[in-house]
Each structure stands twice: as structure tokens, then as C-alpha cells.
Amino acid sequence: GMLMLTGSNTYSCETTVTGGTLVVNGSIGAAGNMVTVATGAVLAGTGTVSRTVSVAAGGTVAPGTAVDAVGVLSVASNVTLQAGAHLAVRLAKRTDSDRLACASAVAVGGATLDVSFLDSNVARSLYTVLSAPAISGTFTNMPDGSKVKIGADSFIVTYPGATNVVLQALPKGTLLRMQ
């Protein structure tokens, strides 16, 4: 199932997503309490979470709207993507990409970055999918400097200044050497 939170949600208890999808298109306030995303569950949306977020192995953070547009999910505290957790983002041809924007530190060691296309053609050259003042670790499937093929397009993955995760589209026809 899916639960969508809109408006300002200032309840003070901890939030645990044990199944289905919690879509935050408003805000979850009351800093100091944690948002936990369990195995098989999803935290999504284009709102703001003012709490620490922890995503378990098999859990997913999916910024953006559910259907037809990319978006930014903002977190005002720390985010931990445990080994086996997922950050799922979509790239769009004329706009940008989904992005997890954090105001504090993000730990991604051992997590997986899942990338798909909202549109059939990629027109932009740079996609920032994660931003934070400090990012520790790298995604298991996309370490810094790796070249990856996503659909018919090739990208290089960088972590500039350990504050962003960027996918840069490579020119059409670029051959990738498998490592």
C-alpha cells in the first residue's frame, strides 16, 4: 500500500516504514525522532524530512513523484543507507533527475544506486542524484570514476568533493571497457 503525507506533519513519534511506500510531499517535522525504512519498504516524495533517516538492507529511498515527473526529496538531518539499501532515481531528458538533497551527512557504503529513465532520450549531460555537505562511502555498483551503461546510454559516475553523486552522460558511441 501507499500512504501520502501532505502539509506539515509535526507528530513527535518515530516513523517506521515496514512495508509499502511512504510518500512525503509535505513535511515531517519534529527533529530528533528517526525515520526508519525497513526491508521491502520505500520512502518517496518531493517534500522535506526533518529527521534522521536510516534505510535497512532491501529498503529504498526514491525521491520524486510516483509517475510522471522527477523531483527532490529533502532531508534536514543525517541519512544512512545501510549495505544492501537502495537509492532509486530517474533521469529526464529536458529537466533533470530525481535527487536526494541532504542538509547533513550521508553514509552510502554498501548501498546500491538504481537508475532508470523517465523519458526515452537523455539530453542533459550532468545529473546530480545525491547532494550533501559530506558523503561517506560509495555505491557498491557505481564507485567513483566508474563508467556504467544504463539502457542505451553510457555514464561516468563521480563524487566531486564528496558532496555530490553525479552521473555524466558520455558521448553516443563511447565504448566502455569492462573492469
Side-chain angles (χ1 to χ4, degrees):
M2 180 182 72
L3 173 64
M4 184 178 296
L5 296 178
T6 59
S8 179
N9 296 275
T10 58
Y11 60 89
S12 61
C13 57
E14 186 168 320
T15 302
T16 303
V17 187
T18 58
T21 302
L22 174 61
V23 179
V24 179
N25 283 344
S27 65
I28 299 177
N33 293 301
M34 181 175 258
V35 174
T36 303
V37 182
T39 300
V42 178
L43 173 63
T46 57
T48 300
V49 177
S50 296
R51 300 175 176 193
T52 297
V53 174
S54 178
V55 184
T60 300
V61 175
T65 61
V67 182
D68 59 355
V70 296
V72 176
L73 179 62
S74 299
V75 178
S77 192
N78 295 331
V79 174
T80 300
L81 297 167
Q82 298 176 10
H86 298 265
L87 174 60
V89 297
R90 297 163 303 159
L91 309 180
K93 66 179 173 184
R94 286 194 192 96
T95 55
D96 204 321
S97 64
D98 290 326
R99 180 167 51 99
L100 179 60
C102 302
S104 195
V106 177
V108 298
T112 299
L113 179 59
D114 301 322
V115 180
S116 61
F117 296 105
L118 185 61
D119 303 302
S120 59
N121 297 311
V122 176
R124 290 180 48 95
S125 62
L126 291 173
Y127 294 91
T128 300
V129 297
L130 173 61
S131 59
I135 299 171
S136 63
T138 62
F139 289 100
T140 301
N141 62 326
M142 296 190 191
D144 190 23
S146 63
K147 293 178 182 171
V148 297
K149 193 161 188 75
I150 302 168
D153 295 290
S154 299
F155 296 86
I156 187 166
V157 182
T158 59
Y159 294 67
T163 59
N164 292 288
V165 176
V166 175
L167 299 174
Q168 180 177 356
L170 296 171
K172 295 285 185 192
T174 299
L175 297 176
L176 298 182
R177 180 178 300 156
M178 301 309 288
Q179 300 176 1

